[in-house]
Amino acid sequence: MPAEDTNTRAWLIYGQRQLARAYAPPVPERLGWTPWEGIGPGAEVLGDVTGRRVLDIGSGAGHHAVHLARVHGARVTGIELSPSQHERAVSTHVDVDGVEFVRADVAEYLDGAEPFDAAYAIGTLAFIDPHRSLPALRDGLRPDAPLILSLLHTDLHGHGPSTAVAPREQTILLRDDPPLPTQMWVLAPQLWEDLLTEYGFRVEAIDLFPHPGENAKVIQQLIRARRLPDRPTRATS
């Protein structure tokens, strides 16, 4: 099964399980880029998003999008491919001002959308082939727009990032249920920087955040990039 199809199936099942539990994550008081509270920066890395159109890539249950709209005054579009994850968001946050949830493939959606002022993905972009997602994001963002990506660097087993642009098997864990196999692009920071540069972004910073537990192996990376300006059209005689 192709990698992205494997991931689509996994997130469908994950969402179904959470719907069955009637679990909705709380809207955070502070936007976090890692799974661990208080580790790393907050929404300030997006810049001033007041009144700005912001894209939440793989918005899941919608709690991060709602935070940005309520606390920072952003106009957030949450893109989610999984129908069960999309259902979680709209069933809980359907009436929140400044937020819309769209069920769509992000690359297909951006092909016909008005460019956004900023975009971010919290743990989600690694489930999509970067050769498909990054050019779509480049075309779907305004010149100089920030793109902030939280990505896995080292997994639970201590396996560090790959140095080739290829997916590898990972799992989604959910308490009391069997793990869900996925295929993720867990790439080294330099490789992400090379890809982003290739597709029209300037990388401004890459930070690594280890798990706060003494013996834990997981490390998250946070990439701050910016969409480069359009090149001027060359005049021809």
Side-chain angles (χ1 to χ4, degrees):
M1 182 183 294
E4 289 193 36
D5 291 346
T6 297
N7 298 335
T8 298
R9 179 180 181 275
W11 285 111
L12 171 64
I13 296 171
Y14 176 88
Q16 290 171 338
R17 291 176 179 177
Q18 297 291 45
L19 284 169
R21 290 181 169 86
Y23 173 69
V27 176
E29 296 182 3
R30 176 180 181 270
L31 191 65
W33 301 97
T34 74
W36 318 299
E37 187 174 353
I39 302 295
E44 69 274 5
V45 297
L46 284 165
D48 183 3
V49 293
T50 305
R52 302 279 186 171
R53 296 177 63 251
V54 179
L55 182 69
D56 182 337
I57 306 160
S59 50
H63 48 305
H64 298 122
V66 171
H67 167 86
L68 280 178
R70 286 179 175 171
V71 178
H72 300 279
R75 294 184 292 142
V76 188
T77 297
I79 295 293
E80 176 58 60
L81 181 60
S82 165
S84 56
Q85 289 284 78
H86 175 73
E87 183 180 345
R88 294 178 69 203
V90 297
S91 63
T92 306
H93 304 300
V94 66
D95 296 325
V96 176
D97 290 338
V99 179
E100 67 168 344
F101 295 107
V102 177
R103 188 170 78 82
D105 173 85
V106 64
E108 294 176 2
Y109 174 80
L110 288 173
D111 186 50
E114 178 186 349
F116 284 83
D117 301 308
Y120 68 96
I122 300 179
T124 56
L125 201 77
F127 293 100
I128 309 172
D129 184 343
H131 288 304
R132 198 170 73 85
S133 63
L134 294 181
L137 284 164
R138 197 265 176 201
D139 292 341
L141 287 170
R142 297 188 185 281
D144 208 40
L147 173 64
I148 312 299
L149 306 175
S150 172
L151 300 155
L152 183 65
H153 178 279
T154 300
D155 66 20
L156 288 166
H157 306 291
H159 299 149
S162 301
T163 56
V165 185
R168 73 184 194 201
E169 186 169 331
Q170 299 287 156
T171 54
I172 300 173
L173 301 178
L174 187 61
R175 187 172 57 186
D176 301 327
D177 279 312
L180 296 170
T182 65
Q183 293 286 324
M184 292 180 66
W185 281 262
V186 183
L187 308 181
Q190 185 61 59
L191 191 50
W192 277 116
E193 182 168 359
D194 291 344
L195 285 165
L196 285 158
T197 301
E198 176 184 352
Y199 287 116
F201 291 89
R202 179 180 67 253
V203 174
E204 298 181 335
I206 300 179
D207 298 306
L208 299 182
F209 297 103
H211 190 292
E214 184 176 346
N215 297 317
K217 300 176 180 178
V218 179
I219 299 174
Q220 290 286 122
Q221 57 180 307
L222 180 66
I223 300 177
R224 311 181 203 187
R226 195 168 295 275
R227 198 266 209 194
L228 290 170
D230 291 317
R231 294 184 178 93
T233 302
R234 179 181 296 177
T236 58
S237 58

